[in-house]
Amino acid sequence: TTFFKKNLQMDFGSKHVYEYGSSDEEVIRHEDFSNPLYASEDEDDLSLPSPVLQNFPPEVITPSAPHRSRRSSSRSSSLSRLLADEPQLLPQSPQQLQQLQQLPQPPQQLPQPPQQLPQPPQQLPPPPPVMPPRSIFLPRIRKKHVTWDVEEAAFPDTTDKLHKIRKADTNVLSVNFRTLKDPSGVFTGEAELCGKCRSVFSHLSVLSSSGEEGQKVWECEYCGHENEVDLMPEEIPKENDVTFMLSPPTATDPSKSSSQSMLIFCVDTSGSMAATTEIPGNYQLKEDPALEELLKELGLTRQEYQQQLLHMRPSVTYLSRLKSLQSAVQSQIDQLTTTNPDKRVAIVTFNNEVSLLGDGTKEALILAGDKLYEEERLFDAGVTFQTPDIIKNTNQKLSQTLWSLKDSGQTALGPALVCAIAMASKGTAGSQVIICTDGLANIGVGQLEDISTPDKLMEAQLYYEHIAELANEKGVTISVLTISGAECRILELGQVADKTNGEVERVNPVDLMDGFSSILAKPILATNVSIRLTLHSKLYLREPGQSDNSWVERNVGNVTEDSELTFEYGIRKSQKLEPTPTSKLEPTPTSKLEPTPEPMDLEPAAETTVPTDTEPKPKELGATAGVTRKTAALAIDGKEHLPFQLQISYRARDGSKCLRVITQAMPVTKDREEAEKTSNLGVLQTHVIKSTADMALRGDFSNPRLKCLSNQKMVYRIGNKFDRKNEYRAWSSNVAHTENTLFSAQKQEEVSYGRRLSASDGSDSDDDMEIGANKEPVKKLTKSAKKAKKVQMRASSTMSDTFSTNLYKAKKKAYK
C-alpha cells in the first residue's frame, strides 16, 4: 500500500473535487461521543476495541453499548468471542477430586413457601391533617467552585441527544516541502501575475488576441479578470511545476553556507535547575573546576564528599537538572566540532538576569533590572554583541564556559529569548535557537507566572506571537526543550516553535541528550518561506477568520522535510458554472483525469459545518472582491476541471531567492462514491490530526472530536466498499491517539469542574477590554474574540505541559 507515500508538493484528498449537496449532513449520537475513538487489531474486524485509559476509573467512562463501534453491524472482538464460548473443565488431580467429594452437598429439596400469606389490615389509618401552604424564602448562594466526585462527573443519561454536523468529505489538500531543494523548470526573471487574484500565468492559461494591434490577453482561469500580457513563446510555462529565479545565489557552496549558520543554546540557570534525580549506580560526572580544586584540597573523592558532607546515599548518583543539561550540551558541542566544524555556536543563560556568554572567548554581557522589561534594548544588545567564531576554534572555551554555570534566582526567559534571536539573526539564514527550561517565565517581558485573567492571557499570547513573527522575519527557527517535573506553560511558549517550524520536546533530565539530537537532526531545506494558495472562484477555503476567501497566504519561516500544511475547501453555491468548450488544453501529467459520470449542475443548497459557518456570498469575497463570479471552469478533454495553484516564495540554501509555482487541474464530480474511491487516506489523516490539534490548542475539544468521528465514518465506508481495510485500520490507529488525548482532557474537566470548560459559552460580560504587550500598542477585542479567549483560558486550566506538547507534536508531524 502507498498509504503514507507523499512526494508531491501539493497533494489532494482525492483525485476528484467533490460537489456536495444539501443532504450531506449526518448525526453523531451522544452515546458514541461519550466514548473514545477505537483502533482495530482484528484482521477481519472493522470494529475498534477501546484503548485503556490509564488516568480515569471505569465509573467515568460510559459503559459500552452494543453499537459502541459506531457501526450498524458490529462484530465482537476475539476476546469477546472467547469469553462467549462454553467453559471447559480443566484436568484435575486425584487429590483435587477427593477434596471436591468431601465438600458439603447442597440440600436435595428446597424449603417450601408458606401456604397462606398474612392478610392486610381491614382498615387503613386516617391521613395526617393538611397544613396550610406557606411561602419559604431561601438565601441565594453563588457557588464559586465545586469539586465533583468521579461518579458525579460521568455523563448523564442523554443517549437520545444528537450532534448534527457536516458530513466529512475528501475536499482536502496538503502542502509539503520535501522536493523544494530540487527546483524544476527554471525561469529567470519575475512571473506574470493576474491583476486581481495575483495568480501566476501557467501551462493552464490561454492567450487570445484583442484589438487591432493584436494585443495578447490572458483571461485568468481563477477569477476571470482579463490581463494584457507580453510574453515570448519561450517564456510560457509548459509544465505544471516551474521555478522562477528572482535573485542569483550569494554562496558558491550551499553546503558550506548551511554549516556556517548560527546555533544559540538558551540555557535556564534558575534555582529550580538544582533539583536532582536519583540514578542507581555510581557514575563519574564532570564537576565544576572550582569544586574539583576544593575536593583536592580536602583530599576527598566525589563519593566521599556526597556521603560525608552532603549525607547522600551510597550506590546512587544524584543528577541535577543543570548538570544533565550541561552534559547534553557538551555532547552536542563535541559532535558539531566533528561534523560541522564551521558552525557558529554561542550560549545565553538566564535567571534573575540575562548573560550573553557567546563562544566564551570574550567578556560576557550582563543584562538586569529595568533592561529586562525593554524589548528594544534587549534586541540591540544581542545585535551588537560579538559574533561567535566557528566551533572548531572555540570548542574548548565553550566547554569551560558551559561547566562554570551556577543555578540560582528566577527565570527571565522572555528577555533571554529576545537576545538569542538578535544574536542568531547575524548568522546566515537558517540559524537556530534552542530554549531549555524547567519553569515559568516570571521576570521581565513575556511573564507567564500570573495569567489568571483573560487580559493577561491575551497579553502573553500576543507577546509570543510577536516574538515568532520577529524570528520568522530574521530567518531564525526556535525550538523549545522542557524538563518534565515542572510546568512551563508550553501552551503559550510552544507557539513560538510552532510558528517558526521548530520542535517542542518535553523529556526527563536523563533523556536531554536525545532531545537535543532529535532537534538538530533535521536539516533546514529553505528559509524565509511563505506560500500563497489560490483556488478557482467557485471554491473557498475553510480557514478560521477568512472562510469566504478563494486564496490564503501563510508565512511559514524555515522548513524541513517534515514541514507540512493542510487545507480544507468548500464549494460556493452562488453561481452556475458551465465548462468552456473552446479550451484545447491537454490533461496535466499528475492529474490522472477520469471521466465524470454525469453533467454538472452546480446549484445545490447550503451546507452545515462544524464549527457552524454560513455559506459565503458573492459580495463577501474579502481581498478578491470585484472578481467575476461566473468564471468558467476548465474543459479538458470535454470534462469539467477546477484549477489549483500553489506559490512558494523562499530563499534557497545557496542564498538565491526563488518562487516555486505548482498548478494542477482537478476533475469535478457530484458522486460521493467516485470521490471516495480515489481518496488518499494519508492526506485525509494528516489534515484531521493537524486541524484537530490546532482547534484543541485554542481550547476547543468537542468540535475536534466530532470531526474525528465524522471522518472515521467516511474512512470506514472507504475501507468496506473498496477493500482498503488495512488502510482504514492504520488511519484509525493514528487518529485515535489524538482523539483519545482530547477525550481524556474532557473527562479531566468533568472530574475537576463538573462540566466541560471547553464547551463553555465564554464571557459573562459584554464589555470590550483593551490589552496588549506593555499596554502599547493597545488592542481592543471584539465580543466574539473575548468570548473565544475566555473559553481558551478556562480550557487551558486543565491543559498540562505534557498535553500541550503532544498537541504541538501532532500538529508538527501527523503521520508516520
Side-chain angles (χ1 to χ4, degrees), residues 367-391:
L367 302 172
D370 295 339
K371 296 179 181 178
L372 300 181
Y373 296 87
E374 300 178 16
E375 183 181 325
E376 291 185 2
R377 295 184 65 180
L378 292 169
F379 189 84
D380 292 340
V383 170
T384 57
F385 190 69
Q386 53 121 2
T387 302
D389 196 2
I390 56 178
I391 193 172

PDB file of all heavy atoms in Angstrom, residues 367-391:
ATOM      1  N   LEU A 367      22.681  41.611  31.457  1.00  0.00           N
ATOM      2  CA  LEU A 367      21.510  42.490  31.380  1.00  0.00           C
ATOM      3  C   LEU A 367      20.611  42.191  32.577  1.00  0.00           C
ATOM      4  O   LEU A 367      20.229  41.038  32.792  1.00  0.00           O
ATOM      5  CB  LEU A 367      20.744  42.264  30.074  1.00  0.00           C
ATOM      6  CG  LEU A 367      21.539  42.486  28.782  1.00  0.00           C
ATOM      7  CD1 LEU A 367      20.726  42.051  27.573  1.00  0.00           C
ATOM      8  CD2 LEU A 367      21.956  43.938  28.640  1.00  0.00           C
ATOM      9  N   ALA A 368      20.285  43.214  33.360  1.00  0.00           N
ATOM     10  CA  ALA A 368      19.473  43.013  34.566  1.00  0.00           C
ATOM     11  C   ALA A 368      18.642  44.258  34.829  1.00  0.00           C
ATOM     12  O   ALA A 368      18.753  45.274  34.135  1.00  0.00           O
ATOM     13  CB  ALA A 368      20.377  42.699  35.758  1.00  0.00           C
ATOM     14  N   GLY A 369      17.763  44.146  35.833  1.00  0.00           N
ATOM     15  CA  GLY A 369      16.964  45.290  36.261  1.00  0.00           C
ATOM     16  C   GLY A 369      15.934  45.716  35.231  1.00  0.00           C
ATOM     17  O   GLY A 369      15.237  44.890  34.630  1.00  0.00           O
ATOM     18  N   ASP A 370      15.849  47.028  34.997  1.00  0.00           N
ATOM     19  CA  ASP A 370      14.848  47.576  34.084  1.00  0.00           C
ATOM     20  C   ASP A 370      15.081  47.161  32.631  1.00  0.00           C
ATOM     21  O   ASP A 370      14.145  47.177  31.832  1.00  0.00           O
ATOM     22  CB  ASP A 370      14.845  49.104  34.172  1.00  0.00           C
ATOM     23  CG  ASP A 370      14.394  49.597  35.540  1.00  0.00           C
ATOM     24  OD1 ASP A 370      13.725  48.809  36.252  1.00  0.00           O
ATOM     25  OD2 ASP A 370      14.721  50.741  35.903  1.00  0.00           O
ATOM     26  N   LYS A 371      16.309  46.788  32.300  1.00  0.00           N
ATOM     27  CA  LYS A 371      16.587  46.376  30.924  1.00  0.00           C
ATOM     28  C   LYS A 371      15.787  45.135  30.537  1.00  0.00           C
ATOM     29  O   LYS A 371      15.502  44.929  29.356  1.00  0.00           O
ATOM     30  CB  LYS A 371      18.083  46.104  30.743  1.00  0.00           C
ATOM     31  CG  LYS A 371      18.968  47.325  30.931  1.00  0.00           C
ATOM     32  CD  LYS A 371      20.428  46.962  30.747  1.00  0.00           C
ATOM     33  CE  LYS A 371      21.332  48.180  30.962  1.00  0.00           C
ATOM     34  NZ  LYS A 371      22.761  47.825  30.831  1.00  0.00           N
ATOM     35  N   LEU A 372      15.420  44.319  31.505  1.00  0.00           N
ATOM     36  CA  LEU A 372      14.681  43.087  31.210  1.00  0.00           C
ATOM     37  C   LEU A 372      13.256  43.376  30.760  1.00  0.00           C
ATOM     38  O   LEU A 372      12.579  42.465  30.263  1.00  0.00           O
ATOM     39  CB  LEU A 372      14.656  42.182  32.445  1.00  0.00           C
ATOM     40  CG  LEU A 372      16.020  41.728  32.984  1.00  0.00           C
ATOM     41  CD1 LEU A 372      15.835  40.823  34.190  1.00  0.00           C
ATOM     42  CD2 LEU A 372      16.820  41.018  31.897  1.00  0.00           C
ATOM     43  N   TYR A 373      12.799  44.601  30.918  1.00  0.00           N
ATOM     44  CA  TYR A 373      11.432  44.956  30.548  1.00  0.00           C
ATOM     45  C   TYR A 373      11.380  45.824  29.290  1.00  0.00           C
ATOM     46  O   TYR A 373      10.308  46.300  28.923  1.00  0.00           O
ATOM     47  CB  TYR A 373      10.742  45.689  31.709  1.00  0.00           C
ATOM     48  CG  TYR A 373      10.565  44.836  32.937  1.00  0.00           C
ATOM     49  CD1 TYR A 373      11.574  44.749  33.897  1.00  0.00           C
ATOM     50  CD2 TYR A 373       9.402  44.102  33.136  1.00  0.00           C
ATOM     51  CE1 TYR A 373      11.426  43.973  35.033  1.00  0.00           C
ATOM     52  CE2 TYR A 373       9.234  43.316  34.264  1.00  0.00           C
ATOM     53  CZ  TYR A 373      10.248  43.250  35.201  1.00  0.00           C
ATOM     54  OH  TYR A 373      10.090  42.469  36.318  1.00  0.00           O
ATOM     55  N   GLU A 374      12.514  46.034  28.641  1.00  0.00           N
ATOM     56  CA  GLU A 374      12.572  46.872  27.443  1.00  0.00           C
ATOM     57  C   GLU A 374      13.059  46.025  26.268  1.00  0.00           C
ATOM     58  O   GLU A 374      14.249  45.705  26.170  1.00  0.00           O
ATOM     59  CB  GLU A 374      13.503  48.063  27.676  1.00  0.00           C
ATOM     60  CG  GLU A 374      13.065  48.948  28.833  1.00  0.00           C
ATOM     61  CD  GLU A 374      14.037  50.100  29.064  1.00  0.00           C
ATOM     62  OE1 GLU A 374      14.854  50.377  28.151  1.00  0.00           O
ATOM     63  OE2 GLU A 374      13.987  50.720  30.143  1.00  0.00           O
ATOM     64  N   GLU A 375      12.135  45.671  25.413  1.00  0.00           N
ATOM     65  CA  GLU A 375      12.451  44.750  24.315  1.00  0.00           C
ATOM     66  C   GLU A 375      13.462  45.340  23.338  1.00  0.00           C
ATOM     67  O   GLU A 375      14.359  44.630  22.863  1.00  0.00           O
ATOM     68  CB  GLU A 375      11.162  44.365  23.581  1.00  0.00           C
ATOM     69  CG  GLU A 375      11.370  43.365  22.461  1.00  0.00           C
ATOM     70  CD  GLU A 375      10.083  43.029  21.738  1.00  0.00           C
ATOM     71  OE1 GLU A 375       9.021  42.975  22.388  1.00  0.00           O
ATOM     72  OE2 GLU A 375      10.142  42.828  20.507  1.00  0.00           O
ATOM     73  N   GLU A 376      13.369  46.614  23.039  1.00  0.00           N
ATOM     74  CA  GLU A 376      14.284  47.220  22.073  1.00  0.00           C
ATOM     75  C   GLU A 376      15.724  47.189  22.583  1.00  0.00           C
ATOM     76  O   GLU A 376      16.659  46.880  21.829  1.00  0.00           O
ATOM     77  CB  GLU A 376      13.856  48.663  21.775  1.00  0.00           C
ATOM     78  CG  GLU A 376      12.549  48.773  21.000  1.00  0.00           C
ATOM     79  CD  GLU A 376      12.229  50.205  20.622  1.00  0.00           C
ATOM     80  OE1 GLU A 376      13.059  51.096  20.936  1.00  0.00           O
ATOM     81  OE2 GLU A 376      11.168  50.436  20.027  1.00  0.00           O
ATOM     82  N   ARG A 377      15.930  47.489  23.851  1.00  0.00           N
ATOM     83  CA  ARG A 377      17.277  47.468  24.412  1.00  0.00           C
ATOM     84  C   ARG A 377      17.826  46.046  24.440  1.00  0.00           C
ATOM     85  O   ARG A 377      19.020  45.817  24.201  1.00  0.00           O
ATOM     86  CB  ARG A 377      17.284  48.069  25.815  1.00  0.00           C
ATOM     87  CG  ARG A 377      16.932  49.552  25.854  1.00  0.00           C
ATOM     88  CD  ARG A 377      17.053  50.112  27.258  1.00  0.00           C
ATOM     89  NE  ARG A 377      18.440  50.081  27.749  1.00  0.00           N
ATOM     90  CZ  ARG A 377      18.799  50.528  28.952  1.00  0.00           C
ATOM     91  NH1 ARG A 377      17.879  51.049  29.772  1.00  0.00           N
ATOM     92  NH2 ARG A 377      20.057  50.467  29.329  1.00  0.00           N
ATOM     93  N   LEU A 378      16.970  45.077  24.701  1.00  0.00           N
ATOM     94  CA  LEU A 378      17.402  43.681  24.698  1.00  0.00           C
ATOM     95  C   LEU A 378      17.830  43.246  23.297  1.00  0.00           C
ATOM     96  O   LEU A 378      18.866  42.582  23.127  1.00  0.00           O
ATOM     97  CB  LEU A 378      16.267  42.788  25.209  1.00  0.00           C
ATOM     98  CG  LEU A 378      15.881  42.931  26.682  1.00  0.00           C
ATOM     99  CD1 LEU A 378      14.588  42.198  26.972  1.00  0.00           C
ATOM    100  CD2 LEU A 378      16.994  42.417  27.581  1.00  0.00           C
ATOM    101  N   PHE A 379      17.034  43.629  22.295  1.00  0.00           N
ATOM    102  CA  PHE A 379      17.354  43.228  20.927  1.00  0.00           C
ATOM    103  C   PHE A 379      18.646  43.916  20.454  1.00  0.00           C
ATOM    104  O   PHE A 379      19.502  43.281  19.817  1.00  0.00           O
ATOM    105  CB  PHE A 379      16.189  43.580  19.999  1.00  0.00           C
ATOM    106  CG  PHE A 379      16.324  43.012  18.620  1.00  0.00           C
ATOM    107  CD1 PHE A 379      15.932  41.712  18.341  1.00  0.00           C
ATOM    108  CD2 PHE A 379      16.850  43.771  17.590  1.00  0.00           C
ATOM    109  CE1 PHE A 379      16.065  41.185  17.071  1.00  0.00           C
ATOM    110  CE2 PHE A 379      16.984  43.259  16.319  1.00  0.00           C
ATOM    111  CZ  PHE A 379      16.592  41.959  16.055  1.00  0.00           C
ATOM    112  N   ASP A 380      18.791  45.199  20.768  1.00  0.00           N
ATOM    113  CA  ASP A 380      20.010  45.919  20.379  1.00  0.00           C
ATOM    114  C   ASP A 380      21.245  45.313  21.046  1.00  0.00           C
ATOM    115  O   ASP A 380      22.320  45.234  20.430  1.00  0.00           O
ATOM    116  CB  ASP A 380      19.889  47.395  20.742  1.00  0.00           C
ATOM    117  CG  ASP A 380      18.845  48.114  19.907  1.00  0.00           C
ATOM    118  OD1 ASP A 380      18.500  47.589  18.824  1.00  0.00           O
ATOM    119  OD2 ASP A 380      18.369  49.182  20.343  1.00  0.00           O
ATOM    120  N   ALA A 381      21.097  44.875  22.291  1.00  0.00           N
ATOM    121  CA  ALA A 381      22.235  44.254  22.982  1.00  0.00           C
ATOM    122  C   ALA A 381      22.654  42.965  22.288  1.00  0.00           C
ATOM    123  O   ALA A 381      23.857  42.680  22.151  1.00  0.00           O
ATOM    124  CB  ALA A 381      21.872  43.982  24.439  1.00  0.00           C
ATOM    125  N   GLY A 382      21.679  42.183  21.820  1.00  0.00           N
ATOM    126  CA  GLY A 382      22.017  40.954  21.117  1.00  0.00           C
ATOM    127  C   GLY A 382      22.648  41.199  19.765  1.00  0.00           C
ATOM    128  O   GLY A 382      23.556  40.465  19.343  1.00  0.00           O
ATOM    129  N   VAL A 383      22.188  42.247  19.074  1.00  0.00           N
ATOM    130  CA  VAL A 383      22.728  42.551  17.748  1.00  0.00           C
ATOM    131  C   VAL A 383      24.163  43.061  17.857  1.00  0.00           C
ATOM    132  O   VAL A 383      25.047  42.696  17.064  1.00  0.00           O
ATOM    133  CB  VAL A 383      21.824  43.568  17.027  1.00  0.00           C
ATOM    134  CG1 VAL A 383      22.491  44.069  15.753  1.00  0.00           C
ATOM    135  CG2 VAL A 383      20.478  42.936  16.706  1.00  0.00           C
ATOM    136  N   THR A 384      24.436  43.903  18.832  1.00  0.00           N
ATOM    137  CA  THR A 384      25.775  44.498  18.963  1.00  0.00           C
ATOM    138  C   THR A 384      26.779  43.584  19.660  1.00  0.00           C
ATOM    139  O   THR A 384      27.977  43.872  19.650  1.00  0.00           O
ATOM    140  CB  THR A 384      25.681  45.815  19.740  1.00  0.00           C
ATOM    141  OG1 THR A 384      25.072  45.567  21.028  1.00  0.00           O
ATOM    142  CG2 THR A 384      24.833  46.831  18.981  1.00  0.00           C
ATOM    143  N   PHE A 385      26.302  42.491  20.245  1.00  0.00           N
ATOM    144  CA  PHE A 385      27.224  41.585  20.922  1.00  0.00           C
ATOM    145  C   PHE A 385      28.110  40.890  19.891  1.00  0.00           C
ATOM    146  O   PHE A 385      27.717  40.671  18.744  1.00  0.00           O
ATOM    147  CB  PHE A 385      26.440  40.558  21.738  1.00  0.00           C
ATOM    148  CG  PHE A 385      27.287  39.726  22.652  1.00  0.00           C
ATOM    149  CD1 PHE A 385      27.901  40.292  23.752  1.00  0.00           C
ATOM    150  CD2 PHE A 385      27.490  38.381  22.400  1.00  0.00           C
ATOM    151  CE1 PHE A 385      28.691  39.523  24.602  1.00  0.00           C
ATOM    152  CE2 PHE A 385      28.270  37.609  23.238  1.00  0.00           C
ATOM    153  CZ  PHE A 385      28.883  38.179  24.341  1.00  0.00           C
ATOM    154  N   GLN A 386      29.313  40.516  20.285  1.00  0.00           N
ATOM    155  CA  GLN A 386      30.288  39.928  19.380  1.00  0.00           C
ATOM    156  C   GLN A 386      29.749  38.653  18.726  1.00  0.00           C
ATOM    157  O   GLN A 386      29.098  37.835  19.372  1.00  0.00           O
ATOM    158  CB  GLN A 386      31.576  39.616  20.144  1.00  0.00           C
ATOM    159  CG  GLN A 386      31.369  38.770  21.388  1.00  0.00           C
ATOM    160  CD  GLN A 386      32.151  37.465  21.353  1.00  0.00           C
ATOM    161  OE1 GLN A 386      32.879  37.216  20.417  1.00  0.00           O
ATOM    162  NE2 GLN A 386      31.981  36.646  22.380  1.00  0.00           N
ATOM    163  N   THR A 387      30.036  38.495  17.442  1.00  0.00           N
ATOM    164  CA  THR A 387      29.630  37.310  16.692  1.00  0.00           C
ATOM    165  C   THR A 387      30.555  36.153  17.047  1.00  0.00           C
ATOM    166  O   THR A 387      31.781  36.300  17.026  1.00  0.00           O
ATOM    167  CB  THR A 387      29.687  37.579  15.182  1.00  0.00           C
ATOM    168  OG1 THR A 387      28.837  38.679  14.873  1.00  0.00           O
ATOM    169  CG2 THR A 387      29.242  36.360  14.400  1.00  0.00           C
ATOM    170  N   PRO A 388      30.012  34.993  17.396  1.00  0.00           N
ATOM    171  CA  PRO A 388      30.878  33.871  17.771  1.00  0.00           C
ATOM    172  C   PRO A 388      31.700  33.362  16.592  1.00  0.00           C
ATOM    173  O   PRO A 388      31.277  33.432  15.435  1.00  0.00           O
ATOM    174  CB  PRO A 388      29.893  32.816  18.273  1.00  0.00           C
ATOM    175  CG  PRO A 388      28.595  33.159  17.622  1.00  0.00           C
ATOM    176  CD  PRO A 388      28.588  34.646  17.499  1.00  0.00           C
ATOM    177  N   ASP A 389      32.855  32.851  16.900  1.00  0.00           N
ATOM    178  CA  ASP A 389      33.720  32.249  15.898  1.00  0.00           C
ATOM    179  C   ASP A 389      33.233  30.826  15.607  1.00  0.00           C
ATOM    180  O   ASP A 389      32.382  30.288  16.322  1.00  0.00           O
ATOM    181  CB  ASP A 389      35.163  32.245  16.407  1.00  0.00           C
ATOM    182  CG  ASP A 389      36.163  32.007  15.287  1.00  0.00           C
ATOM    183  OD1 ASP A 389      35.732  31.880  14.110  1.00  0.00           O
ATOM    184  OD2 ASP A 389      37.376  31.952  15.571  1.00  0.00           O
ATOM    185  N   ILE A 390      33.804  30.192  14.573  1.00  0.00           N
ATOM    186  CA  ILE A 390      33.401  28.823  14.228  1.00  0.00           C
ATOM    187  C   ILE A 390      33.827  27.891  15.354  1.00  0.00           C
ATOM    188  O   ILE A 390      34.800  28.134  16.073  1.00  0.00           O
ATOM    189  CB  ILE A 390      34.002  28.401  12.881  1.00  0.00           C
ATOM    190  CG1 ILE A 390      35.522  28.539  12.891  1.00  0.00           C
ATOM    191  CG2 ILE A 390      33.397  29.209  11.758  1.00  0.00           C
ATOM    192  CD1 ILE A 390      36.175  28.093  11.588  1.00  0.00           C
ATOM    193  N   ILE A 391      33.098  26.792  15.491  1.00  0.00           N
ATOM    194  CA  ILE A 391      33.227  25.967  16.684  1.00  0.00           C
ATOM    195  C   ILE A 391      34.554  25.227  16.749  1.00  0.00           C
ATOM    196  O   ILE A 391      35.033  24.875  17.837  1.00  0.00           O
ATOM    197  CB  ILE A 391      32.041  24.971  16.770  1.00  0.00           C
ATOM    198  CG1 ILE A 391      31.996  24.329  18.156  1.00  0.00           C
ATOM    199  CG2 ILE A 391      32.132  23.928  15.669  1.00  0.00           C
ATOM    200  CD1 ILE A 391      30.766  23.496  18.385  1.00  0.00           C
TER     201      ILE A 391
END
